[in-house]
Amino acid sequence: MITFLELLANGISIGALYSLIALGFVVIFKATEVVNFAHASLLLAGGFVVAKLHPLIGFWPALAAGIAGAAAVGALIEFVIIRRANVTSHSVLAIVTIGVDIVLVTELTRQIGTDVLALGDPWGDQVVHLGPVAIAQTRIMALLAAGILIGSFLLAFKHTGWGVAMRATAEDHETAALMGIRLGRVSLGAWAVAGALAAVAALFLCVFPTPGLDRSTTFAAIKAFPAAILGGLDSTTGALVGGLVVGITEAMMSGYQNQLSFLGRGIGDAAPFLIMTIVLLIRPAGLFGTRELSRV
Amino acid sequence: MYKLLTWLGGIAVALFVPFYLEGFWLQAGLFTMSAAIGAIGINLLTGATGQLSLGHAFFLAVGAYAYVYFAAEPEGHLAGLNLPTPLAAVLAVIVAGIAGGLFSPIAGRLKGAYLGIATLALIFLGQHLLFNAEPLTGGYNGRAVPPMELFGLVFADTPELVILNVPFGVLERLWFLGLAVLLVAAWFAKGVLRGRPGRAMNTIRDHEIAAGVMGVPVGRYRAGVFVLSSMYAGAAGVMLALVFQRTVPEYFGMLLSLDYLAMIVIGGLGSVAGAVVGAVFVSFLPQLLTRYSDALPLVAEPGSGGVSPAEAARILYGAAVVAVVLFLPGGLLGLATRIRLAVTRRVQLPAELTPSPDSRS
C-alpha cells in the first residue's frame, strides 16, 4: 500500500510535468494548427541553458534565462520558419518541424556529449516524509510549480485579451483576423509560451532522482506526445488529463515491473504509447478532443 | 523515345557499376537502393495521400526480422523456420503488410500529422518488442542474417565467383538483386500513382470531403495505402538485412523514421523519382562526409570532439528539409524540372521571336 501511494505521488508529479509539455504542444496546435515535432528540442534547449549558466550566475537567474531562452527559440522557429513556409498542407509543416528538431537535437546532444549536466537546483536529494510515505522534495516542487503554471495559464487563457485572441484564432482564423486580431502575434506568443513551459518541465525532469540533463532527456519529452494525443490534440483539459494518465501509468508500470515481468523489461518506457494506442482504438479523436464534423 | 533511351542508358550504367567501383561505394549504393525502396513506400503514404507516418522504421524492422526468422535454422535459444530464402523474403514482405493491416483501425481513421504521433507508438512498442522477444530477434545483440539463395546462386562471399576478372563477392552479387527489386518496386508504385488509386489518394490529400463526395472510400483507402507502404518498408528491411548481414534492434529507432521522412521531403513529395532522389541524397551524404572528412573544413574525425561526419550529415539534411520546404516546393526533383523548363524555354524562345530569313522579304 505504501509503495502504491509513493508510486501514485511520483506518478502525479511526473504526470504534471508531462501536462506542462503537452499543454504547450496543444497551445501551438490550437493557434497555428501545426503539430510541433520540435517540442523535444525546445525542452532540451531550455534545460541546456540552465545547466550551462547556473555555475556562472546562480540557479534562479539561470532558470529565468533558460525559460527566456526556450521561449526565444520557440518564437524564432515560428518567426523564421513556420510563418514563411508557404505550404497548403499542415502535415508538410509538421515535417518542417521535424527538420528543425533534427538540427537542434543533433547540435545540442553533440554539445552535451556523454556528460550528465547538473542543473544546480537548491532542493538536492532531500526526502519529505508524509506519515509512512516518502516523497522527494523535488517531486513536490515539481507538482507545485506545474500546478501554479497550469492554473495561471488557464486563467490567462480565459480572462486576458491575449487568451481571448488565442481562443478566437483557434475557433476561426479568418474571422479572428477580420476582427482585428493579429494572427502573427498570436502564433508567435503561442510558440514562446510553449517554449517557456517546456523549459520549466525540463528543469524538473532533470533534477533528483534523475541524475541530470543528458542525451536521453529528449526521450522524456517524447512521452508528452502520447499525453497530448490521448487527451485530444485540441483540448487543454485533454492535455492535463493525458499528462496525468501517462505519468501515473509510467510510474506504476515501472514500479511493479517485477510483477509485470511477462510484459518484458523496461515496460515503463513503452507504457505511455501502449495506453495511447488503446485510447485511439476506442476514441480516434482522443478523450476530450472534438470530433471533427464537416458540412458540405 | 527520348525517355526510353535515358532509362535504358541509366540501367546499363547501373549494371556496369559493380565491375568498376570498390566495395565502399557498392555498399553505399546498396544502402541507397534499400532506402529508395522504403522511401517510395512512405512517399505513397505521406507524399501522395498526405498521411504522416513516423512508424516506418518499425515496418523495416518487421521485414528484416521476419526474413531472418523464416530463413534461419533454429539454433540454441534462437528460433527459425529454415524455409527457402526467396520464400522467406516474400513472407517477410507479407508479414510487414499484415503488421500494417493490424494498425489500420488507427491508420484508416486518423489523418495527417495526427497519425504521425500515433505511429510514434509503433516505434517505441516495436523497440520494446525487439529487445524483449529474444527467441525471435536475438535481443540486444541482434541476429545473423542467412544469405539469400536464388536459383542456386548464393548471395555471399563463398563460393567464389569471378566474372570478367572481377571477383564477385556479396556486395557485387547483391547489387543486381537490389537493382531488380528497386526497379520492380518503382514500376509498381508508378502504376499505382498513375492509375485510379493514385488519383483517389491525391484527392484524399488535397480535400478529404471532396474525395468522399466523389465516391472514394476515404478510410479504406487510407488503411490500404498504409498496408502497401508497410509492405514496401518490409521489402526495404529485407534488403537492408541482406546488406548488413546482421540485424540489431537499435538501428530501427526513431532516427531511422526521420531519415525516411527527410528523404521524401528533400527529393520531392508524392512521386517515385522524388523518393529515389531523396534516398540518394540522405544515404550518400553521411558516407561522403565520412570518406572525405579529412579534406572538409568543420568536419572532424569521429571521436575527436568536433562535429563528426554523421552529425554533420544529420544537421545538413535537417536544414535541407527546412530549406526545401521554404524555398523549393517540389524538392530537388521540382528544382530539376524547373531548370529543365527554363533551359528549354530559353532555347526555344529566340527561335520563335526572331523572324526567319524567309519571311522577312
Side-chain angles (χ1 to χ4, degrees):
Chain A
M1 193 61 203
I2 290 168
T3 338
F4 177 80
L5 284 179
E6 279 177 1
L7 287 176
L8 188 68
N10 276 329
I12 291 175
S13 158
I14 294 266
L17 295 178
Y18 289 145
S19 298
L20 267 188
I21 307 172
L23 194 61
F25 191 73
V26 166
V27 165
I28 290 182
F29 181 77
K30 277 180 95 98
T32 57
E33 283 184 44
V34 176
V35 173
N36 176 24
F37 285 100
H39 218 75
S41 60
L42 290 180
L43 185 129
L44 203 59
F48 185 73
V49 170
V50 179
K52 283 288 163 189
L53 284 184
H54 82 84
L56 304 174
I57 57 176
F59 172 70
W60 293 107
L63 178 61
I67 293 173
V73 172
L76 206 65
I77 295 174
E78 198 278 340
F79 192 71
V80 178
I81 297 165
I82 302 298
R83 191 175 292 194
R84 279 157 230 286
N86 188 16
V87 291
T88 43
S89 156
H90 287 293
S91 32
V92 177
L93 271 183
I95 301 180
V96 175
T97 62
I98 291 177
V100 174
D101 187 64
I102 294 176
V103 174
L104 283 177
V105 169
T106 310
E107 179 55 23
L108 285 170
T109 46
R110 189 181 74 77
Q111 296 274 349
I112 295 169
T114 49
D115 299 344
V116 178
L117 303 175
L119 293 194
D121 62 291
W123 304 294
D125 54 0
Q126 294 151 30
V127 174
V128 178
H129 292 273
L130 294 173
V133 182
I135 304 168
Q137 199 181 344
T138 48
R139 288 279 174 254
I140 298 176
M141 290 308 294
L143 189 57
L144 269 180
I148 293 172
L149 276 174
I150 291 170
S152 47
F153 173 83
L154 289 181
L155 281 179
F157 202 56
K158 197 115 213 180
H159 297 294
T160 62
W162 174 80
V164 174
M166 189 83 112
R167 280 185 292 143
T169 313
E171 205 67 39
D172 189 331
H173 282 234
E174 274 177 29
T175 316
L178 289 174
M179 296 296 127
I181 291 171
R182 297 196 180 181
L183 296 187
R185 267 190 208 176
V186 169
S187 70
L188 195 71
W191 278 81
V193 165
L197 293 178
V200 177
L203 164 72
F204 287 109
L205 283 176
C206 298
V207 295
F208 179 80
T210 322
L213 184 77
D214 62 5
R215 290 170 163 245
S216 65
T217 306
T218 37
F219 180 65
I222 287 170
K223 281 185 222 153
F225 288 140
I229 279 281
L230 77 84
L233 198 49
D234 59 349
S235 155
T236 42
T237 331
L240 304 183
V241 176
L244 288 179
V245 169
V246 166
I248 294 172
T249 321
E250 191 193 347
M252 292 295 168
M253 290 278 215
S254 312
Y256 290 113
Q257 196 154 190
N258 295 333
Q259 284 91 319
L260 295 170
S261 57
F262 63 94
L263 289 172
R265 263 170 293 141
I267 184 67
D269 285 337
F273 296 96
L274 197 62
I275 298 285
M276 171 178 78
T277 314
I278 294 169
V279 169
L280 285 179
L281 277 174
I282 302 163
R283 288 184 67 100
L287 292 175
F288 295 89
T290 35
R291 197 180 277 182
E292 198 174 325
L293 296 174
S294 44
R295 202 164 49 175
V296 186
Chain B
M1 189 62 200
Y2 171 73
K3 211 170 182 182
L4 188 71
L5 280 180
T6 5
W7 267 98
L8 287 178
I11 293 173
V13 170
L15 285 179
F16 280 106
V17 162
F19 293 97
Y20 293 100
L21 287 187
E22 48 179 310
F24 176 83
W25 295 114
L26 285 184
Q27 189 163 28
L30 276 166
F31 279 137
T32 308
M33 287 184 199
S34 328
I37 298 169
I40 292 174
I42 197 168
N43 216 358
L44 288 175
L45 182 70
T46 305
T49 321
Q51 294 283 81
L52 193 59
S53 169
L54 287 171
H56 219 54
F58 170 71
F59 296 108
L60 283 159
V62 171
Y65 279 100
Y67 170 74
V68 176
Y69 171 69
F70 287 129
E73 290 175 37
E75 171 198 352
H77 70 290
L78 292 175
L81 294 183
N82 201 7
L83 295 173
T85 45
L87 180 65
V90 173
L91 283 177
V93 174
I94 293 175
V95 167
I98 292 173
L102 287 179
F103 200 67
S104 66
I106 292 178
R109 286 195 281 182
L110 300 186
K111 68 172 180 184
Y114 211 132
L115 179 67
I117 307 181
T119 47
L120 268 180
L122 287 176
I123 296 273
F124 288 98
L125 296 178
Q127 287 277 309
H128 184 72
L129 277 179
L130 291 185
F131 278 111
N132 283 289
E134 272 187 37
L136 285 179
T137 64
Y140 186 77
N141 295 319
R143 289 183 77 162
V145 178
M148 177 72 105
E149 201 179 329
L150 207 57
F151 308 120
L153 174 67
V154 185
F155 289 86
D157 283 331
T158 51
E160 271 181 41
L161 179 72
V162 178
I163 297 175
L164 299 175
N165 282 332
V166 178
F168 257 48
V170 57
L171 294 174
E172 283 86 356
R173 298 179 201 187
L174 275 174
W175 182 273
F176 295 103
L177 181 69
L179 205 59
V181 177
L182 176 59
L183 281 177
V184 172
W187 171 74
F188 186 81
K190 264 196 137 71
V192 168
L193 284 176
R194 201 175 287 159
R196 205 180 155 85
R199 311 232 174 243
M201 282 149 61
N202 287 347
T203 321
I204 293 174
R205 176 195 59 195
D206 296 336
H207 205 303
E208 186 191 343
I209 300 164
V213 172
M214 308 281 272
V216 176
V218 175
R220 219 183 311 155
Y221 255 96
R222 278 187 180 148
V225 176
F226 197 82
V227 170
L228 183 64
S229 136
S230 9
M231 290 174 80
Y232 268 91
V238 175
M239 276 307 298
L240 272 177
L242 288 172
V243 180
F244 264 127
Q245 297 167 1
R246 181 155 202 98
T247 52
V248 280
E250 261 191 329
Y251 176 73
F252 299 100
M254 195 165 119
L255 289 177
L256 188 66
S257 283
L258 298 186
D259 283 1
Y260 277 88
L261 282 176
M263 283 176 205
I264 58 172
V265 175
I266 294 173
L269 283 170
S271 71
V272 173
V276 176
V277 171
V280 171
F281 184 91
V282 171
S283 32
F284 254 99
L285 195 60
Q287 313 276 359
L288 278 176
L289 290 178
T290 315
R291 183 74 176 210
Y292 299 110
S293 59
D294 42 350
L296 291 168
L298 294 175
V299 178
E301 295 272 316
S304 66
V307 185
S308 76
E311 286 162 345
R314 202 159 270 287
I315 292 178
L316 269 178
Y317 75 69
V321 167
V322 178
V324 160
V325 174
L326 287 186
F327 307 113
L328 281 181
L332 290 178
L333 192 72
L335 180 70
T337 325
R338 277 215 308 243
I339 291 176
R340 208 174 57 221
L341 279 178
V343 168
T344 46
R345 201 177 297 148
R346 199 161 294 162
V347 174
Q348 281 167 1
L349 275 185
E352 285 166 8
L353 287 179
T354 48
S356 64
D358 298 334
S359 64
R360 204 180 291 165
S361 63

